Amino acid sequence: MPEPRREAREGHGAAGDDRAALVRAMTGFARTLRAAGVAADHQRTQGFLAALRELGAREPCDVYWAGRLTLCSCPDDLDRYDRCFAAYFGGARPAARRVPPAATVTRFVLRPDEGAGEPGEGGEASAAATASEIEVLRHRDVARMTAVERQEVARLLGMLRSARERRTSRRRAPSHRGALDGRRTVREAVRRGGEPARPRFRDRTEKPRRVVMLVDVSGSMAPYADTLLRFAHALVRAEPRATEVFSVGTRLTRVTAELRHRDPAVAMDAVSAAIPDWSGGTRLGEELKELLRLSDPRGAIVVIASDGWERGDASLLGRQMERLSRLAHRVIWVNPHKGDPAYRPLTAGMRAALPYVTEFVAGHSLAAYEELALRLAGGTVPGAVHRGRGRPDA
């Protein structure tokens, strides 16, 4: 007698017919959910079918929970899911016999402005989310998120503790190897009364490489500006002495001091009050010229987060990018539209800037920001394309 799974896979016999009927019924349920406004796309539907195969789908309770944990993306979907389940399968919500223990992840999130306080004082907040929801949220475009999803992304960015690429400093410190430290060696010999002393050495120390980040707050970047500034807040909190942040629009505004506050909400309120040109135009060429006058980017990683819609002179932007590329260690351009496979950098601003960009990356999702943090830490991202080489240490 052949194995049931092999028989189903080959599509022969009653088992294969039953499996095909089950797949048709469940994909029809997913289509019903999509019609009701639930984001039950192809990937979620495949996860739903995989969950049913694991559970066996012998009882309505298994079908209900498998679909709820894989097809719903936010709390707003739960009521729609219950109504669609009752209408499609002809029954009310099944009793919760059991929930698969590995399907739910409970995370305890500590707010950045609170230490290890007592649980009763509100220092510890519990947030339960399914593993599938978290993974989908990581890759979802920020511009298409609901208010609840944006809050979750803001909380995850507040927890981000980005490491920083290290560079060799000019200063030297006592070390077990390196150049001979004559003064310390002589002092040690004098302390021993002129007896031969063990040689002392000193070597160069390491320090975090500076990051200068420019965040476009123009009208075309409005869906992403808040999230990018929250990412900048995480960078400033991780390395406050090695990070500078500016907003760019119709003028250049330094917002580093405002982002140094521990509480992300307070920091964002201060930034909102400090930036006078929200949702205006973009004059990147003039603002890069102003940046090179106000700040020295030599040896720094410069991150420009913009969609490249330049309202000023594109040739001026190209000249300033050329100057910047000669001074900076690396220039990373973060474009939210880069996450779309169909995107092509055809605007005049992007065409003028790209020849001088070291790395051109996406900036539309939480996963993209995590990859950007990895780049700033000196790590390598699978599939990354480098358009140039970093400058030597300055």
Side-chain angles (χ1 to χ4, degrees):
M1 179 177 181
E3 295 182 5
R5 289 186 178 180
R6 181 179 302 172
E7 185 177 338
R9 187 165 57 246
E10 295 174 353
H12 297 297
D17 294 339
D18 291 345
R19 182 179 181 277
L22 176 64
V23 170
R24 287 195 298 270
M26 296 303 112
T27 53
F29 177 50
R31 286 195 296 269
T32 302
L33 290 173
R34 286 197 296 271
V38 178
D41 55 15
H42 175 74
Q43 184 177 1
R44 289 181 179 276
T45 304
Q46 293 302 314
F48 176 42
L49 295 175
L52 292 178
R53 285 195 297 270
E54 292 295 328
L55 294 174
R58 297 181 180 88
E59 299 182 14
C61 181
D62 295 328
V63 177
Y64 174 84
W65 284 108
R68 181 181 169 120
L69 296 176
T70 56
L71 299 174
C72 296
S73 63
C74 66
D76 296 338
D77 291 343
L78 299 182
D79 290 339
R80 299 172 186 169
Y81 179 85
D82 287 344
R83 291 196 299 269
C84 289
F85 187 90
Y88 191 85
F89 293 103
R93 166 179 170 173
R97 178 175 58 85
R98 63 180 177 90
V99 180
T104 301
V105 177
T106 302
R107 295 175 292 106
F108 294 96
V109 180
L110 200 63
R111 289 179 55 192
D113 60 334
E114 296 172 350
E118 294 296 329
E121 297 176 356
E124 196 174 67
S126 174
T130 66
S132 61
E133 286 174 353
I134 296 172
E135 185 60 25
V136 170
L137 187 65
R138 286 182 64 250
H139 296 277
R140 179 167 295 178
D141 194 314
V142 172
R144 297 183 175 91
M145 287 184 179
T146 64
V148 174
E149 290 171 337
R150 287 177 181 270
Q151 291 176 1
E152 181 65 13
V153 168
R155 178 161 43 190
L156 294 174
L157 286 174
M159 298 167 59
L160 181 66
R161 293 295 178 264
S162 174
R164 188 66 54 82
E165 179 182 340
R166 312 295 290 183
R167 73 174 183 89
T168 304
S169 172
R170 291 190 179 93
R171 294 189 177 183
R172 297 180 182 270
S175 176
H176 295 294
R177 60 174 66 91
L180 178 68
D181 190 343
R183 299 178 66 178
R184 291 180 62 237
T185 302
V186 170
R187 283 199 300 268
E188 181 67 15
V190 170
R191 191 178 68 84
R192 292 173 176 269
E195 294 293 330
R198 183 165 61 92
R200 303 292 179 174
F201 302 95
R202 61 176 185 165
D203 201 359
R204 287 188 175 184
T205 60
E206 288 188 343
K207 61 188 301 185
R209 188 174 292 280
R210 286 179 60 233
V211 167
V212 179
M213 185 169 183
L214 285 74
V215 179
D216 190 342
V217 295
S218 63
S220 60
M221 285 288 292
Y224 304 96
D226 179 81
T227 309
L228 285 164
L229 286 168
R230 290 181 183 274
F231 175 79
H233 175 260
L235 296 182
V236 173
R237 292 278 294 118
E239 293 289 349
R241 299 178 61 182
T243 309
E244 266 194 300
V245 182
F246 297 85
S247 70
V248 294
T250 57
R251 58 179 294 181
L252 185 74
T253 306
R254 192 194 303 263
V255 292
T256 310
E258 288 77 8
L259 290 173
R260 286 190 177 132
H261 199 284
R262 296 181 62 186
D263 189 340
V266 175
M268 294 305 297
D269 288 342
V271 168
S272 297
I275 297 177
D277 54 343
W278 283 99
S279 300
T282 311
R283 301 185 181 276
L284 284 172
E286 298 174 8
E287 289 158 355
L288 282 180
K289 185 176 181 179
E290 182 71 6
L291 172 73
L292 293 171
R293 188 183 69 83
L294 294 177
S295 178
D296 184 5
R298 283 180 294 183
I301 302 174
V302 179
V303 180
I304 303 175
S306 173
D307 56 4
W309 283 97
E310 172 67 2
R311 295 186 62 182
D313 185 0
S315 61
L316 175 62
L317 173 60
R319 292 195 299 272
Q320 300 309 314
M321 286 294 298
E322 183 181 9
R323 290 180 58 197
L324 181 63
S325 67
R326 291 199 302 264
L327 296 173
H329 176 70
R330 281 189 290 155
V331 179
I332 301 176
W333 193 292
V334 181
N335 190 326
H337 304 308
K338 179 70 164 56
D340 184 354
Y343 170 74
R344 297 294 180 269
L346 301 178
T347 61
M350 288 308 311
R351 289 201 306 267
L354 275 181
Y356 310 104
V357 170
T358 311
E359 299 169 64
F360 185 42
V361 302
H364 65 297
S365 65
L366 179 60
Y369 301 140
E370 292 172 352
E371 289 185 1
L372 177 58
L374 180 60
R375 293 173 189 271
L376 297 180
T380 58
V381 178
V385 176
H386 295 260
R387 303 180 64 89
R389 296 189 306 172
R391 305 290 183 251
D393 292 345

